[in-house]
Amino acid sequence: MNPAVPTWAGVAASAALIALTVAVAWHGRLHLVRDITLAAVRAALQLAAVGALLLLVFQHTGLAGAIGWLALMVLIAGRVAARRASALPRVLPTATAAITVGTAATMGTLLALGVIATQARVVIPVGGMVVSGAMQATALALTRLYDEVRTARPAIEARLSLGLAATDAFAPHQRTIVRTALIPALDSTKTVGVISLPGAMTGLILAGVDPLTAIRYQIVVMYMLLAAAALAALIAVRLSEHALFDDAHRLRPLAAKSASA
């Protein structure tokens, strides 16, 4: 057994950290003891279940199984991102399509160029990072879009009244929304290795890979996350733009954002 990987006894011992968190929450009267406990138990059960399923996928399926797994993750990610801006029209298909395009284009490029192997044990974890990055960018873009349309409606309608097409009237806000959605990915790319060692690099180093090899992999990870985020944010805004305006280039009214979002 790799000494860098905790044993199951070590995993059980790490529950002391949850006990410490619960103690802090109880002492501070944060009313989070139940939430922290449930979150910890849920995380352990979910990861155990996922680990068992991944073992089956790795052993009995190839690239097709990995693609199916990624498709399921994309569907779930689309629902999560859509929930952040549920008041937007056609938000669920928009979010799902944006994450799909960001993931497919990024993973397709990596596989076509031979940057990563086509083995399921490689495609699934790398694809999971891509889906997560695309989901975050999509959620940020849709949330920002809702706020932008709600607050800037008079300016947009003023441009429309001057004869501008919907695309031109919305263009300044589109650029602002996409730039905002890319801030986390850009900041992470700019500061990688300076503020913290990212997960992929840390995992490889803990597994015994030399740092220079781990750095190569991490550079690929940062590039793919930035590309997936940019594509997903842009697609989400473009598709939302089509849903926001009718055929007569009129801005549709927005429903109030639900409390659960």
Side-chain angles (χ1 to χ4, degrees), residues 5-259:
V5 179
T7 62
W8 283 112
V11 172
S14 69
L17 298 174
I18 298 301
L20 176 61
T21 307
V22 167
V24 171
W26 178 80
H27 182 73
R29 298 180 181 178
L30 302 179
H31 305 290
L32 289 175
V33 171
R34 181 174 179 272
D35 289 340
I36 293 171
T37 304
L38 288 178
V41 173
R42 179 175 175 177
L45 293 177
Q46 286 178 173
L47 288 173
V50 168
L53 289 174
L54 283 176
L55 185 61
L56 293 175
V57 172
F58 292 165
Q59 291 178 345
H60 303 290
T61 68
L63 183 58
I67 293 175
W69 187 283
L70 291 184
L72 178 60
M73 286 196 289
V74 166
L75 293 176
I76 296 173
R79 297 189 67 85
V80 173
R83 194 167 59 235
R84 297 295 181 181
S86 57
L88 290 173
R90 299 203 294 270
V91 66
L92 179 57
T94 293
T96 304
I99 297 171
T100 299
V101 171
T103 301
T106 303
M107 291 299 295
T109 300
L110 293 177
L111 290 170
L113 296 178
V115 178
I116 62 174
T118 57
Q119 298 174 348
R121 64 175 59 253
V122 176
V123 173
I124 290 178
V126 172
M129 289 187 282
V130 172
V131 172
S132 178
M135 179 187 70
Q136 183 183 44
T138 299
L140 287 172
L142 293 175
T143 302
R144 177 62 178 167
L145 186 144
Y146 174 84
D147 294 335
E148 190 78 11
V149 172
R150 185 171 52 84
T151 57
R153 175 177 287 272
I156 297 172
E157 292 181 337
R159 297 190 193 98
L160 293 172
S161 67
L162 292 174
L164 269 69
T167 301
D168 297 326
F170 192 67
H173 307 284
Q174 180 190 94
R175 290 190 288 268
T176 299
I177 293 165
V178 174
R179 283 198 298 265
T180 301
L182 291 181
I183 287 175
L186 284 171
D187 286 349
S188 297
T189 304
K190 290 177 183 177
T191 60
V192 62
V194 177
I195 296 177
S196 64
L197 295 180
M201 182 177 174
T202 301
L204 289 171
I205 291 175
L206 289 175
V209 176
D210 73 88
L212 291 179
T213 301
I215 285 171
R216 294 204 306 270
Y217 214 105
Q218 188 60 54
I219 291 173
V220 173
V221 169
M222 300 310 298
Y223 289 173
M224 74 184 190
L225 291 179
L226 185 57
L231 287 171
L234 183 60
I235 295 297
V237 175
R238 285 291 180 88
L239 293 179
S240 294
E241 177 186 327
H242 289 296
L244 284 170
F245 296 90
D246 61 19
D247 294 336
H249 292 240
R250 292 173 299 192
L251 185 60
R252 301 180 192 273
L254 293 182
K257 187 183 290 187
S258 64

